[in-house]
PDB file of all heavy atoms in Angstrom:
ATOM      1  N   TYR D 266     106.893 150.567  64.677  1.00  0.00           N
ATOM      2  CA  TYR D 266     106.265 149.847  63.589  1.00  0.00           C
ATOM      3  C   TYR D 266     105.615 148.539  64.095  1.00  0.00           C
ATOM      4  O   TYR D 266     104.479 148.265  63.751  1.00  0.00           O
ATOM      5  CB  TYR D 266     107.321 149.563  62.486  1.00  0.00           C
ATOM      6  CG  TYR D 266     106.805 148.707  61.353  1.00  0.00           C
ATOM      7  CD1 TYR D 266     105.890 149.177  60.429  1.00  0.00           C
ATOM      8  CD2 TYR D 266     107.198 147.375  61.299  1.00  0.00           C
ATOM      9  CE1 TYR D 266     105.378 148.336  59.440  1.00  0.00           C
ATOM     10  CE2 TYR D 266     106.704 146.508  60.309  1.00  0.00           C
ATOM     11  CZ  TYR D 266     105.817 146.996  59.370  1.00  0.00           C
ATOM     12  OH  TYR D 266     105.369 146.167  58.378  1.00  0.00           O
ATOM     13  N   PHE D 267     106.388 147.757  64.787  1.00  0.00           N
ATOM     14  CA  PHE D 267     105.807 146.471  65.238  1.00  0.00           C
ATOM     15  C   PHE D 267     104.786 146.638  66.345  1.00  0.00           C
ATOM     16  O   PHE D 267     103.885 145.824  66.447  1.00  0.00           O
ATOM     17  CB  PHE D 267     107.000 145.544  65.735  1.00  0.00           C
ATOM     18  CG  PHE D 267     107.721 144.957  64.634  1.00  0.00           C
ATOM     19  CD1 PHE D 267     108.989 145.480  64.226  1.00  0.00           C
ATOM     20  CD2 PHE D 267     107.325 143.817  63.966  1.00  0.00           C
ATOM     21  CE1 PHE D 267     109.714 144.877  63.209  1.00  0.00           C
ATOM     22  CE2 PHE D 267     107.975 143.241  62.908  1.00  0.00           C
ATOM     23  CZ  PHE D 267     109.200 143.764  62.537  1.00  0.00           C
ATOM     24  N   HIS D 268     104.848 147.716  67.085  1.00  0.00           N
ATOM     25  CA  HIS D 268     103.867 147.966  68.110  1.00  0.00           C
ATOM     26  C   HIS D 268     102.526 148.301  67.414  1.00  0.00           C
ATOM     27  O   HIS D 268     101.456 147.825  67.830  1.00  0.00           O
ATOM     28  CB  HIS D 268     104.309 149.165  68.981  1.00  0.00           C
ATOM     29  CG  HIS D 268     103.375 149.521  70.043  1.00  0.00           C
ATOM     30  ND1 HIS D 268     102.452 150.604  69.950  1.00  0.00           N
ATOM     31  CD2 HIS D 268     103.083 148.888  71.282  1.00  0.00           C
ATOM     32  CE1 HIS D 268     101.804 150.690  71.097  1.00  0.00           C
ATOM     33  NE2 HIS D 268     102.131 149.620  71.881  1.00  0.00           N
ATOM     34  N   ALA D 269     102.602 149.103  66.345  1.00  0.00           N
ATOM     35  CA  ALA D 269     101.344 149.487  65.675  1.00  0.00           C
ATOM     36  C   ALA D 269     100.775 148.222  65.048  1.00  0.00           C
ATOM     37  O   ALA D 269      99.514 148.007  65.004  1.00  0.00           O
ATOM     38  CB  ALA D 269     101.679 150.518  64.593  1.00  0.00           C
ATOM     39  N   ARG D 270     101.580 147.330  64.490  1.00  0.00           N
ATOM     40  CA  ARG D 270     101.086 146.082  63.942  1.00  0.00           C
ATOM     41  C   ARG D 270     100.374 145.214  64.938  1.00  0.00           C
ATOM     42  O   ARG D 270      99.353 144.627  64.720  1.00  0.00           O
ATOM     43  CB  ARG D 270     102.219 145.307  63.293  1.00  0.00           C
ATOM     44  CG  ARG D 270     102.622 145.800  61.896  1.00  0.00           C
ATOM     45  CD  ARG D 270     103.689 144.918  61.272  1.00  0.00           C
ATOM     46  NE  ARG D 270     103.168 143.547  61.229  1.00  0.00           N
ATOM     47  CZ  ARG D 270     103.907 142.505  60.710  1.00  0.00           C
ATOM     48  NH1 ARG D 270     105.138 142.710  60.245  1.00  0.00           N
ATOM     49  NH2 ARG D 270     103.463 141.192  60.642  1.00  0.00           N
ATOM     50  N   ALA D 271     100.987 145.195  66.171  1.00  0.00           N
ATOM     51  CA  ALA D 271     100.483 144.357  67.231  1.00  0.00           C
ATOM     52  C   ALA D 271      99.133 144.886  67.791  1.00  0.00           C
ATOM     53  O   ALA D 271      98.222 144.082  68.062  1.00  0.00           O
ATOM     54  CB  ALA D 271     101.475 144.155  68.342  1.00  0.00           C
ATOM     55  N   MET D 272      99.032 146.174  67.823  1.00  0.00           N
ATOM     56  CA  MET D 272      97.824 146.852  68.402  1.00  0.00           C
ATOM     57  C   MET D 272      96.644 146.837  67.415  1.00  0.00           C
ATOM     58  O   MET D 272      95.507 146.895  67.844  1.00  0.00           O
ATOM     59  CB  MET D 272      98.121 148.268  68.860  1.00  0.00           C
ATOM     60  CG  MET D 272      99.127 148.396  69.968  1.00  0.00           C
ATOM     61  SD  MET D 272      98.650 147.561  71.498  1.00  0.00           S
ATOM     62  CE  MET D 272      99.834 146.208  71.550  1.00  0.00           C
ATOM     63  N   THR D 273      96.920 146.812  66.142  1.00  0.00           N
ATOM     64  CA  THR D 273      95.819 146.837  65.172  1.00  0.00           C
ATOM     65  C   THR D 273      95.095 145.501  65.128  1.00  0.00           C
ATOM     66  O   THR D 273      95.700 144.526  64.819  1.00  0.00           O
ATOM     67  CB  THR D 273      96.431 147.151  63.745  1.00  0.00           C
ATOM     68  OG1 THR D 273      97.168 148.348  63.752  1.00  0.00           O
ATOM     69  CG2 THR D 273      95.316 147.202  62.747  1.00  0.00           C
ATOM     70  N   GLY D 274      93.829 145.573  65.511  1.00  0.00           N
ATOM     71  CA  GLY D 274      93.032 144.370  65.510  1.00  0.00           C
ATOM     72  C   GLY D 274      93.225 143.460  66.736  1.00  0.00           C
ATOM     73  O   GLY D 274      92.692 142.336  66.688  1.00  0.00           O
ATOM     74  N   ALA D 275      94.032 143.878  67.683  1.00  0.00           N
ATOM     75  CA  ALA D 275      94.197 143.026  68.861  1.00  0.00           C
ATOM     76  C   ALA D 275      92.929 142.939  69.679  1.00  0.00           C
ATOM     77  O   ALA D 275      92.123 143.845  69.686  1.00  0.00           O
ATOM     78  CB  ALA D 275      95.306 143.612  69.669  1.00  0.00           C
ATOM     79  N   GLU D 276      92.784 141.828  70.396  1.00  0.00           N
ATOM     80  CA  GLU D 276      91.604 141.642  71.234  1.00  0.00           C
ATOM     81  C   GLU D 276      91.860 142.056  72.671  1.00  0.00           C
ATOM     82  O   GLU D 276      91.706 141.311  73.614  1.00  0.00           O
ATOM     83  CB  GLU D 276      91.107 140.227  71.177  1.00  0.00           C
ATOM     84  CG  GLU D 276      90.578 139.832  69.804  1.00  0.00           C
ATOM     85  CD  GLU D 276      90.022 138.390  69.805  1.00  0.00           C
ATOM     86  OE1 GLU D 276      90.454 137.612  70.644  1.00  0.00           O
ATOM     87  OE2 GLU D 276      89.153 138.115  68.903  1.00  0.00           O
ATOM     88  N   HIS D 277      92.229 143.340  72.842  1.00  0.00           N
ATOM     89  CA  HIS D 277      92.430 143.873  74.221  1.00  0.00           C
ATOM     90  C   HIS D 277      92.361 145.397  74.085  1.00  0.00           C
ATOM     91  O   HIS D 277      92.155 145.950  72.992  1.00  0.00           O
ATOM     92  CB  HIS D 277      93.705 143.445  74.845  1.00  0.00           C
ATOM     93  CG  HIS D 277      94.968 143.589  74.010  1.00  0.00           C
ATOM     94  ND1 HIS D 277      95.400 144.826  73.619  1.00  0.00           N
ATOM     95  CD2 HIS D 277      95.890 142.716  73.516  1.00  0.00           C
ATOM     96  CE1 HIS D 277      96.476 144.727  72.828  1.00  0.00           C
ATOM     97  NE2 HIS D 277      96.841 143.481  72.876  1.00  0.00           N
ATOM     98  N   GLU D 278      92.480 146.036  75.286  1.00  0.00           N
ATOM     99  CA  GLU D 278      92.315 147.454  75.305  1.00  0.00           C
ATOM    100  C   GLU D 278      93.364 148.196  74.561  1.00  0.00           C
ATOM    101  O   GLU D 278      93.228 149.385  74.245  1.00  0.00           O
ATOM    102  CB  GLU D 278      92.248 147.986  76.765  1.00  0.00           C
ATOM    103  CG  GLU D 278      90.992 147.653  77.535  1.00  0.00           C
ATOM    104  CD  GLU D 278      90.876 146.176  77.901  1.00  0.00           C
ATOM    105  OE1 GLU D 278      91.839 145.402  77.730  1.00  0.00           O
ATOM    106  OE2 GLU D 278      89.830 145.787  78.498  1.00  0.00           O
ATOM    107  N   GLY D 279      94.418 147.578  74.252  1.00  0.00           N
ATOM    108  CA  GLY D 279      95.540 148.227  73.483  1.00  0.00           C
ATOM    109  C   GLY D 279      95.073 148.557  72.092  1.00  0.00           C
ATOM    110  O   GLY D 279      95.492 149.638  71.544  1.00  0.00           O
ATOM    111  N   ALA D 280      94.207 147.802  71.524  1.00  0.00           N
ATOM    112  CA  ALA D 280      93.578 148.171  70.224  1.00  0.00           C
ATOM    113  C   ALA D 280      92.769 149.459  70.293  1.00  0.00           C
ATOM    114  O   ALA D 280      92.835 150.246  69.330  1.00  0.00           O
ATOM    115  CB  ALA D 280      92.756 147.017  69.670  1.00  0.00           C
ATOM    116  N   ALA D 281      92.037 149.647  71.384  1.00  0.00           N
ATOM    117  CA  ALA D 281      91.296 150.887  71.576  1.00  0.00           C
ATOM    118  C   ALA D 281      92.241 152.077  71.697  1.00  0.00           C
ATOM    119  O   ALA D 281      92.003 153.130  71.212  1.00  0.00           O
ATOM    120  CB  ALA D 281      90.375 150.694  72.719  1.00  0.00           C
ATOM    121  N   SER D 282      93.318 151.862  72.427  1.00  0.00           N
ATOM    122  CA  SER D 282      94.280 152.918  72.582  1.00  0.00           C
ATOM    123  C   SER D 282      94.836 153.321  71.217  1.00  0.00           C
ATOM    124  O   SER D 282      95.090 154.525  70.896  1.00  0.00           O
ATOM    125  CB  SER D 282      95.456 152.492  73.559  1.00  0.00           C
ATOM    126  OG  SER D 282      94.965 152.311  74.860  1.00  0.00           O
ATOM    127  N   HIS D 283      95.133 152.311  70.396  1.00  0.00           N
ATOM    128  CA  HIS D 283      95.692 152.628  69.055  1.00  0.00           C
ATOM    129  C   HIS D 283      94.634 153.304  68.161  1.00  0.00           C
ATOM    130  O   HIS D 283      94.982 154.212  67.402  1.00  0.00           O
ATOM    131  CB  HIS D 283      96.128 151.303  68.438  1.00  0.00           C
ATOM    132  CG  HIS D 283      96.976 151.563  67.138  1.00  0.00           C
ATOM    133  ND1 HIS D 283      98.048 152.354  67.064  1.00  0.00           N
ATOM    134  CD2 HIS D 283      96.725 151.119  65.870  1.00  0.00           C
ATOM    135  CE1 HIS D 283      98.522 152.373  65.836  1.00  0.00           C
ATOM    136  NE2 HIS D 283      97.716 151.611  65.078  1.00  0.00           N
ATOM    137  N   TYR D 284      93.396 152.943  68.361  1.00  0.00           N
ATOM    138  CA  TYR D 284      92.305 153.624  67.654  1.00  0.00           C
ATOM    139  C   TYR D 284      92.265 155.047  68.063  1.00  0.00           C
ATOM    140  O   TYR D 284      92.098 155.929  67.112  1.00  0.00           O
ATOM    141  CB  TYR D 284      90.958 152.921  68.017  1.00  0.00           C
ATOM    142  CG  TYR D 284      89.788 153.675  67.588  1.00  0.00           C
ATOM    143  CD1 TYR D 284      89.350 153.875  66.261  1.00  0.00           C
ATOM    144  CD2 TYR D 284      88.976 154.360  68.584  1.00  0.00           C
ATOM    145  CE1 TYR D 284      88.262 154.603  65.856  1.00  0.00           C
ATOM    146  CE2 TYR D 284      87.800 155.072  68.173  1.00  0.00           C
ATOM    147  CZ  TYR D 284      87.498 155.176  66.845  1.00  0.00           C
ATOM    148  OH  TYR D 284      86.352 155.893  66.512  1.00  0.00           O
ATOM    149  N   ILE D 285      92.343 155.409  69.348  1.00  0.00           N
ATOM    150  CA  ILE D 285      92.408 156.824  69.776  1.00  0.00           C
ATOM    151  C   ILE D 285      93.592 157.511  69.219  1.00  0.00           C
ATOM    152  O   ILE D 285      93.520 158.671  68.831  1.00  0.00           O
ATOM    153  CB  ILE D 285      92.431 156.861  71.312  1.00  0.00           C
ATOM    154  CG1 ILE D 285      91.061 156.253  71.879  1.00  0.00           C
ATOM    155  CG2 ILE D 285      92.545 158.298  71.791  1.00  0.00           C
ATOM    156  CD1 ILE D 285      91.043 156.123  73.396  1.00  0.00           C
ATOM    157  N   GLN D 286      94.733 156.789  69.168  1.00  0.00           N
ATOM    158  CA  GLN D 286      95.954 157.371  68.650  1.00  0.00           C
ATOM    159  C   GLN D 286      95.838 157.822  67.226  1.00  0.00           C
ATOM    160  O   GLN D 286      96.368 158.792  66.808  1.00  0.00           O
ATOM    161  CB  GLN D 286      97.068 156.339  68.825  1.00  0.00           C
ATOM    162  CG  GLN D 286      98.436 156.882  68.341  1.00  0.00           C
ATOM    163  CD  GLN D 286      99.620 155.888  68.708  1.00  0.00           C
ATOM    164  OE1 GLN D 286     100.492 156.203  69.402  1.00  0.00           O
ATOM    165  NE2 GLN D 286      99.434 154.627  68.256  1.00  0.00           N
ATOM    166  N   LYS D 287      95.100 157.000  66.449  1.00  0.00           N
ATOM    167  CA  LYS D 287      94.952 157.314  65.016  1.00  0.00           C
ATOM    168  C   LYS D 287      93.804 158.218  64.675  1.00  0.00           C
ATOM    169  O   LYS D 287      93.656 158.644  63.560  1.00  0.00           O
ATOM    170  CB  LYS D 287      94.821 155.955  64.202  1.00  0.00           C
ATOM    171  CG  LYS D 287      96.083 155.100  64.324  1.00  0.00           C
ATOM    172  CD  LYS D 287      95.865 153.809  63.529  1.00  0.00           C
ATOM    173  CE  LYS D 287      95.779 154.060  62.070  1.00  0.00           C
ATOM    174  NZ  LYS D 287      95.754 152.777  61.281  1.00  0.00           N
ATOM    175  N   THR D 288      92.936 158.541  65.676  1.00  0.00           N
ATOM    176  CA  THR D 288      91.762 159.389  65.417  1.00  0.00           C
ATOM    177  C   THR D 288      91.882 160.673  66.237  1.00  0.00           C
ATOM    178  O   THR D 288      92.147 161.716  65.692  1.00  0.00           O
ATOM    179  CB  THR D 288      90.465 158.612  65.687  1.00  0.00           C
ATOM    180  OG1 THR D 288      90.564 158.069  67.064  1.00  0.00           O
ATOM    181  CG2 THR D 288      90.321 157.463  64.698  1.00  0.00           C
ATOM    182  N   THR D 289      91.630 160.502  67.500  1.00  0.00           N
ATOM    183  CA  THR D 289      91.636 161.659  68.418  1.00  0.00           C
ATOM    184  C   THR D 289      93.006 162.475  68.342  1.00  0.00           C
ATOM    185  O   THR D 289      92.989 163.717  68.300  1.00  0.00           O
ATOM    186  CB  THR D 289      91.399 161.287  69.865  1.00  0.00           C
ATOM    187  OG1 THR D 289      90.160 160.508  69.906  1.00  0.00           O
ATOM    188  CG2 THR D 289      91.275 162.500  70.754  1.00  0.00           C
ATOM    189  N   PHE D 290      94.103 161.734  68.300  1.00  0.00           N
ATOM    190  CA  PHE D 290      95.437 162.294  68.208  1.00  0.00           C
ATOM    191  C   PHE D 290      96.054 161.984  66.804  1.00  0.00           C
ATOM    192  O   PHE D 290      97.299 161.913  66.720  1.00  0.00           O
ATOM    193  CB  PHE D 290      96.274 161.846  69.299  1.00  0.00           C
ATOM    194  CG  PHE D 290      95.858 162.198  70.677  1.00  0.00           C
ATOM    195  CD1 PHE D 290      95.060 161.324  71.441  1.00  0.00           C
ATOM    196  CD2 PHE D 290      96.054 163.402  71.228  1.00  0.00           C
ATOM    197  CE1 PHE D 290      94.667 161.623  72.694  1.00  0.00           C
ATOM    198  CE2 PHE D 290      95.609 163.754  72.495  1.00  0.00           C
ATOM    199  CZ  PHE D 290      94.844 162.839  73.242  1.00  0.00           C
TER     200      PHE D 290
END
Side-chain angles (χ1 to χ4, degrees):
Y266 171 76
F267 283 99
H268 182 259
R270 283 186 54 180
M272 295 300 110
T273 302
E276 292 185 334
H277 52 60
E278 286 78 4
S282 294
H283 189 56
Y284 166 73
I285 296 174
Q286 182 171 238
K287 295 180 68 175
T288 55
T289 305
F290 299 97

